[in-house]
């Protein structure tokens, strides 16, 4: 059995995995700009232990996007009507990045905090699967 991915501060990540059909539809709608596509999850909390409960929400909305023009692209997600995570960051899906340029998925947090994001004309409903990874 595969071991869960480690969070940035150790432990695991708790959040949501994208439904496979939702991911495919979003990839068609928002072609990845950078060579490495991530596009698979929304983080609720990183560095969690095995006793951390999974979230109960099973739906969200893609409400915006950001691209720094330097190798990082992210989609902004609203869950329960809010884009704000409890740690002060923004719910998002790291969409694509350029690993050869040294870019890392965790940089999406800084991109959204420092440069902001563009709101979509209309939100896109998505299904989310609570998960530990």
């Amino acid at each position: 059995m595969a071991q869960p991915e480690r969070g940035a501060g150790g432990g695991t990540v708790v959040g949501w995995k994208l439904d496979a059909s939702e991911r495919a539809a979003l990839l068609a709608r928002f072609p990845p700009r950078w060579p490495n596509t991530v596009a698979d999850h929304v983080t609720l909390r990183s560095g969690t232990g095995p006793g951390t409960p999974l979230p109960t929400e099973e739906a969200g909305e893609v409400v915006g996007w950001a691209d720094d023009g330097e190798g990082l692209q992210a989609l902004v997600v609203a869950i329960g009507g809010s884009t704000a995570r409890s740690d002060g960051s923004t719910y998002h899906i790291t969409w694509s990045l350029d690993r050869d340029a040294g870019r890392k998925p965790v940089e999406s947090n800084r991109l959204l905090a420092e440069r902001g994001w563009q709101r979509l004309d209309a939100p896109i409903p998505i299904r989310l699967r609570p998960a530990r990874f």
Side-chain angles (χ1 to χ4, degrees):
M1 182 168 145
Q3 293 296 314
E5 179 181 319
R6 293 282 176 202
T12 59
V13 175
V14 168
W16 300 268
K17 287 289 192 171
L18 280 180
D19 176 84
S21 63
E22 301 283 347
R23 182 178 190 268
L26 287 170
L27 284 167
R29 189 164 184 172
F30 301 99
R33 179 167 180 205
W34 304 103
N36 306 109
T37 302
V38 181
D40 67 350
H41 73 274
V42 178
T43 298
L44 172 61
R45 222 174 272 116
S46 62
T48 64
T52 303
L54 296 179
T56 57
E57 299 88 347
E58 294 184 359
E61 295 177 318
V62 175
V63 296
W65 62 275
D67 188 323
D68 68 3
E70 299 171 3
L72 186 60
Q73 177 186 28
L75 299 183
V76 176
V77 176
I79 297 175
S82 176
T83 61
R85 279 187 359 197
S86 62
D87 65 1
S89 61
T90 301
Y91 288 123
H92 67 275
I93 303 166
T94 299
W95 205 242
S96 69
L97 59 122
D98 187 348
R99 290 187 192 274
D100 288 343
R103 302 312 298 267
K104 297 178 183 172
V106 70
E107 294 176 49
S108 294
N109 292 306
R110 188 171 61 238
L111 165 63
L112 297 169
E114 293 177 0
R115 297 192 184 189
W117 48 278
Q118 300 295 313
R119 187 166 293 279
L120 297 176
D121 290 336
I124 303 165
I126 56 172
R127 290 182 302 247
L128 297 168
R129 181 176 50 85
R132 183 179 324 280
F133 43 98

